[in-house]
């Protein structure tokens, strides 16, 4: 069902992670992404994933919800991994397996795939543990320095929160319209690509019409309550950093340092493991 | 076509934290020829139940047969008969006007006919579309209009015509009169009666929140609460349970309420709760006791 889309769906709970300041979570996500891209070997990635796993455990979100978020990009991951294996440019000393496949090529493809997957899982943990409203509050607050150069930060944040809020509504609406057209004999599951694309017209047109109608109504409702994105608006919920946030920042700093150390001493670690193993 | 549901169960978002048991052991028979009313408070499972009737929600647990089609059989076999089933069981959703999409009224109404009868000749399509529109009191002047230019009530008629066009034997309507003005409501109900009386549609199932409407129009009712059926039977039996119906936050038709109040002051009348019968009984009671 369409409402199964995990990405962007909030998982209500009262955990440590849920209670973190949204700004902290956004910054931590950025730090996590930096960690993933700074990591040059599996040790660094493993450390990042360990961090994610601990965060997931603390958040109380079931691992399956996190794993579901990968479904959408699985094709992309497999595709890029394949390209990496097939078009690997061998260096001297690489282990040739067969045909044009090198052991190092497999490693780099696996590494890349793991990177992509970690990236998406981390981002989905943010949206699973943060309501759209506090997410946009956080982004607005983080971007607020841009107000100095007259960048419409508040409007941007509002557009974002409305867009995020609309995803489940539109998904529901789509399901309703699909059902209604199915009841009139529409067939979405058979035929070639062209006839399938054509079959979507009776869904997309009512959906567009209703999105416009909703937009209009929302605009009117905001006007009716004298909404204006003026500077004097105050917030219902003020964001404040707490001890929790400080702890989280310290942990992440330590982890980034760890990843950098792994980068430097990665080769030695491999050698150590190899010697222990043999 | 007779519709028989036995111990139907359905859960949304199974196996997750958000699981909702929308139907619990629902057993119900809808006889051919009945004008069936389904009532129940918001979220009681009415829409979930009716979407089972034409396979929009596959049977998960329990038995359901519609005419000679066993929807609880092997899903692969059942899927092959969806088209046949959906042509026979027409489904009008709540606010059906939101599903209009074509450039003209004609094209929109023809959509269903062309889906169900892909080999139909252009003049067959025309006859079917004209027929369906005229059943709903819409003349030829509407054919080339854009559905978006019509009024709310007219849009709804076009949408219902779009379902009737395939000549269904059973017509299921989810809150068909929601959002219409009183005259529009009466007109639409009269229209449904005309369809039913002329046997153009043999069985009609409506979901409604209006007890008076159900009492006046339906031959049978089923009352849903929390996914279960709490009452089923003839309206005159179901609406005798004034207290329970009030507890279910549904209430009873005004005639049933008045009969109950009259009983409390010692006036006992035996009516089937239709307004006509109620008035006649009151009148004869008055005459007899003068
Ligand atoms: N697509 C869905 N996903 C998850 N839960 C759903 C879905 N549709 C309905 N439900 C839930 O199932 C239950 C029954 O819903 P249903 O729509 O059948 O009620 P209803 O009797 O038609 O209500 P109403 O009178 O408001 O139309 C409700 O608790 C509802 O929240
Ligand atoms: Mg409903």
């Amino acid at each position: 069902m369409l409402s199964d889309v995990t990405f962007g769906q909030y998982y209500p709970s009262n955990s440590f992670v849920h209670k973190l300041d949204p700004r902290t979570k956004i910054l931590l996500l950025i730090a996590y992404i930096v960690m993933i891209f700074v990591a040059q070997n599996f040790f660094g990635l493993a450390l990042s994933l360990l961090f994610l796993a601990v965060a997931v455990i603390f958040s109380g979100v079931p691992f399956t919800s996190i794993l579901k978020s990968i479904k959408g990009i699985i094709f992309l991951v497999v595709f890029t991994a394949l390209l990496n294996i097939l078009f690997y440019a061998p260096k001297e000393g690489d282990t040739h397996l067969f045909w044009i496949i090198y052991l190092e090529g497999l490693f780099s493809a696996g590494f890349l795939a793991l990177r992509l997957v970690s990236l998406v899982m981390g981002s989905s943990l943010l949206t699973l543990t943060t309501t759209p409203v506090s997410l946009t509050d956080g982004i607005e607050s983080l971007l607020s320095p841009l107000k100095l150069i007259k960048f419409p930060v508040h409007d941007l944040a509002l557009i974002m929160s409305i867009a995020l809020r609309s995803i489940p509504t539109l998904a529901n609406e789509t399901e309703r319209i699909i059902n209604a057209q199915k009841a009139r004999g529409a067939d979405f599951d058979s035929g070639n690509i062209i006839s399938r694309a054509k079959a979507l017209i009776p869904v997309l047109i009512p959906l567009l019409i209703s999105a416009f109608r909703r937009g209009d109504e929302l605009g009117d409702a905001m006007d009716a309550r004298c909404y204006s994105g003026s500077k004097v608006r105050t917030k219902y919920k003020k964001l404040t950093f707490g001890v929790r946030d400080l702890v989280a920042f310290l942990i992440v700093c330590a982890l980034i340092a760890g990843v950098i150390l792994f980068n430097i001493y990665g080769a030695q670690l491999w050698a150590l493991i190899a010697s222990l193993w043999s | 076509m007779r519709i028989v549901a036995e111990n139907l169960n359905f859960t949304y978002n199974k196996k997750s934290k958000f699981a909702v048991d929308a139907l619990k052991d629902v057993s119900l028979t809808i006889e051919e020829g009945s004008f069936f009313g389904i009532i129940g408070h918001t979220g009681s499972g009415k829409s979930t139940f009716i979407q089972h009737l034409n396979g929009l929600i596959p049977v998960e647990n329990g038995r359901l047969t519609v005419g000679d089609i066993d929807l609880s059989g092997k899903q692969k076999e059942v899927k092959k008969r969806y088209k046949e089933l959906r042509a026979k069981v027409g489904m009008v959703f709540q606010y059906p006007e939101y599903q209009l999409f074509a450039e003209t009224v004609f094209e929109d109404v023809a959509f269903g006919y062309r889906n169900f009868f892909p080999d139909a000749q252009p003049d067959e399509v025309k006859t079917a579309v004209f027929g369906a529109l005229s059943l709903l009191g819409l003349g030829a002047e509407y054919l080339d209009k854009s559905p978006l230019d019509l009024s709310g009530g007219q849009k709804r008629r076009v949408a219902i015509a779009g379902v009737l066009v395939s000549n269904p034997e059973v017509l299921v309507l989810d809150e068909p009169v929601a959002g219409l003005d009183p005259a529009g409501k009466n007109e639409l109900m009269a229209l449904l009666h005309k369809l039913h009386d002329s046997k153009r549609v043999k069985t009609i199932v409506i979901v409604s929140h209006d007890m008076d409407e159900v009492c006046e129009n339906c031959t049978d009712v089923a009352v849903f609460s929390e996914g279960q059926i709490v009452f089923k039977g003839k309206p005159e039996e179901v609406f005798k349970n004034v207290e329970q119906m009030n507890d279910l936050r549904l209430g009873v038709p005004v005639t049933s309420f008045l009969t109950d109040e009259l009983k409390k002051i010692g006036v006992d009348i035996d009516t089937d709760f239709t307004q006509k019968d109620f008035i006649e009984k009151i009148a004869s009671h008055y005459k007899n006791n003068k």
Side-chain angles (χ1 to χ4, degrees):
Chain A
M1 243 176 250
L2 276 166
S3 36
D4 280 349
V5 273
T6 306
F7 195 77
Q9 204 181 48
Y10 181 63
Y11 185 92
S13 169
N14 221 351
S15 74
F16 176 83
V17 180
H18 283 77
K19 278 191 263 177
L20 282 176
D21 187 299
R23 289 171 298 182
T24 309
K25 281 189 267 188
I26 295 168
L27 292 176
L28 291 190
L29 178 65
I30 295 173
Y32 169 79
I33 293 172
V34 169
M35 258 158 74
I36 291 175
F37 279 96
V38 165
Q40 301 290 334
N41 51 37
F42 281 104
F43 295 117
L45 265 194
L47 195 61
S48 321
L49 279 176
L50 184 72
F51 167 61
L52 181 68
V54 172
V56 172
I57 291 169
F58 270 98
S59 71
V61 176
F63 271 99
T64 45
S65 302
I66 303 275
L67 288 179
K68 259 193 211 154
S69 66
I70 308 174
K71 251 203 260 169
I73 59 145
I74 202 80
F75 175 76
L76 185 75
V77 170
V78 172
F79 189 69
T80 41
L82 273 181
L83 284 186
N84 257 274
I85 295 172
L86 294 179
F87 295 100
Y88 180 72
K91 292 186 295 284
E92 221 160 293
D94 282 357
T95 327
H96 183 241
L97 294 177
F98 57 91
W99 191 38
I100 52 167
I101 312 290
Y102 287 82
L103 184 64
E104 281 71 14
L106 288 181
F107 266 121
S108 84
F111 190 72
L112 191 89
L114 200 59
R115 239 185 203 169
L116 277 175
V117 167
S118 325
L119 199 73
V120 172
M121 290 197 300
S123 323
S124 71
L125 182 64
L126 176 69
T127 51
L128 280 164
T129 58
T130 320
T131 58
V133 173
S134 64
L135 194 62
T136 41
D137 267 359
I139 291 175
E140 183 178 354
S141 161
L142 286 175
L143 290 181
S144 57
L146 289 179
K147 280 182 188 154
L148 288 178
I149 56 163
K150 297 249 159 78
F151 186 80
V153 174
H154 177 76
D155 300 317
L156 190 76
L158 181 74
I159 291 171
M160 259 193 59
S161 64
I162 292 176
L164 281 175
R165 173 62 192 82
S166 306
I167 294 174
T169 315
L170 284 181
N172 272 340
E173 187 96 3
T174 314
E175 211 169 294
R176 272 189 39 176
I177 297 172
I178 286 181
N179 272 347
Q181 307 299 26
K182 268 189 186 166
R184 292 209 274 165
D187 188 354
F188 299 103
D189 311 316
S190 59
N192 56 24
I193 290 196
I194 294 173
S195 64
R196 276 190 204 202
K198 256 190 169 166
L200 285 180
I201 293 175
V203 175
L204 293 181
I205 290 177
L207 192 64
L208 262 177
I209 295 172
S210 109
F212 276 114
R213 194 188 64 240
R214 271 177 208 284
D216 253 1
E217 281 169 4
L218 183 62
D220 283 346
M222 286 165 77
D223 271 344
R225 286 185 243 173
C226 303
Y227 175 86
S228 69
S230 65
K231 292 187 190 73
V232 290
R233 280 185 74 80
T234 51
K235 287 243 184 283
Y236 168 52
K237 274 189 184 158
K238 276 231 160 37
L239 299 177
T240 44
F241 283 117
V243 182
R244 249 188 244 120
D245 303 286
L246 188 65
V247 172
F249 277 125
L250 287 178
I251 295 175
V252 167
C253 286
L255 286 174
I256 292 185
V259 170
I260 293 173
L261 283 179
F262 276 141
N263 277 349
I264 299 172
Y265 297 108
Q268 277 100 317
L269 269 174
W270 271 127
L272 187 68
I273 291 177
S275 72
L276 281 178
W277 199 55
S278 62
Chain B
M1 289 175 33
R2 194 160 175 253
I3 298 171
V4 185
E6 284 168 60
N7 301 84
L8 214 53
N9 285 283
F10 187 79
T11 310
Y12 284 106
N13 303 323
K14 224 176 188 166
K15 286 189 207 151
S16 93
K17 194 176 170 180
F18 309 105
V20 184
D21 289 327
L23 294 182
K24 297 174 212 156
D25 273 335
V26 168
S27 299
L28 189 64
T29 303
I30 300 176
E31 297 290 350
E32 176 167 317
S34 55
F35 198 121
F36 207 100
I38 293 182
I39 50 190
H41 55 76
T42 295
S44 57
K46 307 179 297 290
S47 301
T48 309
F49 175 72
I50 59 169
Q51 286 179 63
H52 275 84
L53 302 183
N54 70 349
L56 287 174
I57 298 181
V59 176
E60 218 168 49
N61 186 314
R63 274 182 70 85
L64 176 65
T65 50
V66 178
D68 65 339
I69 304 179
D70 180 5
L71 288 174
S72 37
K74 269 214 180 100
Q75 282 309 305
K76 248 192 181 160
E77 298 301 311
V78 175
K79 271 204 179 117
K80 282 186 202 144
R81 301 191 71 177
Y82 272 171
K83 230 176 195 167
E84 182 193 342
L85 174 72
R86 287 176 186 163
K88 282 185 184 159
V89 181
M91 176 89 49
V92 179
F93 282 86
Q94 216 170 345
Y95 298 104
E97 51 273 28
Y98 292 153
Q99 74 215 28
L100 299 175
F101 72 96
E103 279 166 55
T104 64
V105 167
F106 178 87
E107 285 302 315
D108 208 286
V109 176
F111 178 69
Y113 195 79
R114 290 198 179 117
N115 284 333
F116 289 123
F117 310 104
D119 307 323
Q121 299 300 314
D123 46 318
E124 284 177 75
V125 178
K126 250 188 200 163
T127 323
V129 172
F130 287 3
L133 282 171
S134 70
L135 277 178
L136 284 144
L138 296 168
E141 69 273 20
Y142 287 97
L143 288 174
D144 294 323
K145 284 198 176 168
S146 159
L148 300 182
D149 292 341
L150 304 177
S151 78
Q154 289 166 335
K155 278 186 199 169
R156 187 159 305 178
R157 285 163 181 236
V158 171
I160 297 176
V163 173
L164 276 180
V165 74
S166 65
N167 283 321
E169 284 180 39
V170 181
L171 185 62
V172 185
L173 305 105
D174 198 345
E175 294 186 42
V177 297
L180 294 183
D181 59 20
K185 279 184 191 180
N186 290 338
E187 275 170 32
L188 190 54
M189 288 315 296
L191 244 154
L192 293 181
H193 268 296
K194 210 174 83 191
L195 288 173
H196 191 242
D197 294 341
S198 66
K199 302 253 161 54
R200 178 67 200 248
V201 176
K202 288 188 191 135
T203 314
I204 291 189
V205 181
I206 61 168
V207 171
S208 174
H209 281 293
D210 185 334
M211 301 305 128
D212 290 298
E213 182 187 297
V214 171
C215 188
E216 287 300 308
N217 297 293
C218 296
T219 57
D220 300 84
V221 267
V223 183
F224 278 69
S225 174
E226 323 257 315
Q228 282 169 314
I229 295 188
V230 282
F231 292 114
K232 57 186 168 190
K234 301 279 160 207
E236 58 263 35
E237 293 155 15
V238 170
F239 290 126
K240 267 184 193 148
N241 307 293
V242 181
E243 219 165 280
Q244 291 96 318
M245 291 295 284
N246 282 332
D247 287 347
L248 290 170
R249 306 208 344 251
L250 291 170
V252 287
V254 63
T255 47
S256 155
F257 167 75
L258 291 175
T259 313
D260 197 51
E261 292 296 307
L262 285 170
K263 203 181 207 167
K264 285 179 194 162
I265 56 170
V267 181
D268 214 346
I269 55 172
D270 182 28
T271 158
D272 65 5
F273 301 135
T274 58
Q275 290 178 7
K276 191 161 162 269
D277 184 67
F278 179 75
I279 290 167
E280 275 167 16
K281 295 286 162 66
I282 290 275
S284 69
H285 179 87
Y286 179 74
K287 279 180 202 146
N288 294 344
N289 288 279
K290 209 158 50 174

